[in-house]
């Protein structure tokens, strides 16, 4: 990374109080970087900033505001003049994106336009973008590789990721001074080992791990397994669950890579290991000594049978591989849920 006089770097995180942003903030603060968080708090809580300070002993700067407000992000960018930006902010609920496509396209695309224009105006040239394995749509093969085709998405949320990848690719071509990393996350899960920051979904969780931890803590009666008639060994869908602190390290590795390499770089961030829904349930039971009651329900619309990465490119070029396994994910997700039964509402 480009460095400040004292050897550190200032990194601005949009969506920085959110789930993945907050864990990345810990990694960067602990590595000695200055961290600036920007978030409109539409899906996160301000208490996250206190928790980051408690974990790291350093308080990140926080600007509350909306990236769709051009004047707001321009002013923050001019005043903070960071060395690099990681762009997490956006709406991410797949089902909601089907119900409200315009809100999803508008928020995710306009935010990115405003951010990129603000960066260009302030001569900030390094950008890491939160993309998703969802850009592979129905994958042509597993494991998925970065050069697989990404021409269709199965929902408007996924389309916003595809379009933003295309926009950033065009920007990198048009402006050789821009250095951009597109990080395609597989299934982020788990929490910081302190149990003080974690994933805090609104309402009924869509994702598997938060649903399981809410069953374990007594907020939900039982898990519904969405179909057991897929062409997989136990009939349930296979995903590549990656510990959120490993993912945070992946961002740090991508920032270091951008400091040394011009142009556009695309990486899948996952473990390379696929686990079925029932394997996750069993791993959680093993990690926590708890019983997770479940029933098998119908398939969920839009689910693909298997998704996991070939992690070779990130290992080769970034020197990054995921270190934690499914048991670590389950243990840490449970510690977070146990210490915060109602999420950040407990504070
Ligand atoms: P999150 O909702 O916890 O974090 C996103 C943050 O952005 C939230 O704090 C929210 O308040 C903020 N935000 C939303 N719209 C904003 C706006 N217009 N202006 C300012 N702030 C805004 O989500 P996350 O799980 O941390 O995901 C971070 C990024 O990673 C997202 O772009 C998401 O699409 C992507 N991603 C997430 C997953 C996943 O499973 N969690 C998988 C693949 C990709
Ligand atoms: N599942 C259940 N019961 C539940 C919740 C989930 O059986 O209560 C199953 C799903 O049907 C799926 C698997 O658990 O088979 C994983 O589901 P998640 O919702 O946790 O993860 P997805 O892979 O479906 O989706 C995630 C992100 C999306 C992103 C996608 C691809 O949530 O935002 O990965 O990157 F688009």
């Amino acid at each position: 990374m480009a460095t400040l006089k004292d050897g550190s770097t200032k990194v601005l995180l949009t969506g920085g109080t959110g789930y993945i942003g907050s864990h990345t903030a810990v990694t960067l603060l602990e590595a000695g970087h200055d961290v600036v968080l920007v978030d409109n708090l539409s899906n996160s809580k301000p208490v996250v900033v206190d928790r980051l300070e408690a974990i790291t002993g350093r308080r990140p700067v926080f600007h509350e505001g909306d990236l769709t407000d051009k004047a707001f992000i321009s002013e923050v960018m001019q005043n903070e003049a960071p060395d690099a930006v990681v762009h997490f902010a956006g709406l991410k609920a797949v089902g909601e994106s089907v119900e409200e496509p315009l809100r999803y396209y508008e928020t995710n695309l306009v935010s990115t336009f405003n951010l990129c224009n603000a960066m260009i105006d302030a001569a900030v040239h390094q950008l890491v973008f939160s993309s998703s394995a969802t850009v592979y749509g129905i994958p042509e093969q597993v494991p998925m590789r970065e050069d697989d085709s990404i021409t269709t998405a199965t929902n408007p949320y996924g389309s916003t990721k595809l379009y933003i990848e295309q926009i950033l690719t065009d920007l990198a071509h048009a402006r050789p001074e821009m250095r951009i990393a597109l990080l395609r996350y597989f299934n982020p899960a788990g929490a910081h080992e302190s149990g003080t920051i974690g994933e805090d979904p609104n309402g009924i969780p869509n994702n598997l791990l938060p649903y399981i931890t809410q069953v374990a803590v007594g907020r939900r009666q039982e898990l519904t397994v969405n179909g057991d008639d897929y062409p997989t060994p136990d009939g349930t869908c296979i995903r590549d669950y990656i510990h959120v602190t490993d993912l945070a390290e992946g961002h740090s590795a991508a920032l270091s890579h951008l400091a040394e390499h011009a142009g556009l770089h695309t990486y899948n961030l996952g473990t390379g290991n696929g686990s079925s829904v029932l394997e996750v349930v069993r791993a959680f039971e093993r990690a926590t000594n708890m019983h997770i009651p479940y029933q098998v329900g119908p398939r969920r619309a839009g689910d693909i049978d298997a998704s996991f990465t070939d992690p070779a490119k990130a290992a080769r070029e970034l020197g990054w591989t995921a270190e934690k396994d499914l048991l670590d994910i389950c243990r840490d997700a449970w510690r977070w849920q146990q210490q915060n039964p109602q999420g950040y509402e407990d504070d």
Side-chain angles (χ1 to χ4, degrees), residues 50-224:
D50 301 331
R51 306 242 176 138
L52 293 175
E53 185 179 12
I55 293 170
T56 66
R58 300 178 61 212
R59 191 172 182 84
V61 173
F62 174 48
H63 296 280
E64 180 179 346
D66 199 306
L67 287 188
T68 61
D69 177 349
K70 193 172 182 174
F72 162 74
I73 188 60
S74 297
E75 194 184 329
V76 169
M77 198 66 69
Q78 292 288 345
N79 292 339
E80 293 290 353
D83 299 282
V85 173
V86 186
H87 182 29
F88 297 103
L91 301 176
K92 63 161 188 175
V94 172
E96 198 177 65
S97 80
V98 177
E99 306 291 320
E100 300 178 73
L102 288 182
R103 186 161 77 91
Y104 268 67
Y105 286 119
E106 187 170 351
T107 304
N108 291 359
L109 294 176
V110 172
S111 293
T112 306
F113 294 141
N114 289 345
L115 178 70
C116 290
N117 281 314
M119 288 177 66
I120 290 166
D121 291 346
V124 177
H125 296 141
Q126 295 182 42
L127 174 64
V128 174
F129 173 61
S130 297
S131 189
S132 166
T134 194
V135 298
Y136 293 109
I138 299 167
E140 56 192 21
Q141 56 164 38
V142 280
M144 287 120 99
R145 298 199 177 87
E146 288 81 352
D147 52 8
D148 291 350
S149 73
I150 57 157
T151 49
T152 49
T154 53
N155 56 72
Y157 162 73
S159 296
T160 70
K161 294 297 181 194
L162 266 180
Y163 298 153
I164 293 169
E165 284 205 3
Q166 185 62 54
I167 290 161
L168 296 179
T169 303
D170 292 342
L171 180 62
H173 287 149
R175 290 185 168 264
E177 72 274 22
M178 294 297 297
R179 296 168 174 226
I180 300 177
L182 308 176
L183 303 184
R184 296 175 180 158
Y185 312 155
F186 279 67
N187 289 63
H192 187 262
E193 60 182 11
S194 65
T196 60
I197 57 171
E199 190 170 11
D200 183 19
N202 280 329
I204 302 171
N206 290 313
N207 297 121
L208 182 59
L209 251 304
Y211 203 104
I212 289 176
T213 60
Q214 289 197 9
V215 171
V217 84
R219 282 173 67 179
R220 318 254 160 227
Q221 256 190 340
E222 63 178 3
L223 173 73
T224 300

Side-chain angles (χ1 to χ4, degrees), residues 302-320:
D303 271 351
I304 52 174
D305 52 5
S307 162
F308 53 96
T309 187
D310 174 346
K313 186 179 179 204
R316 191 172 62 243
E317 296 188 11
L318 301 181
W320 171 89

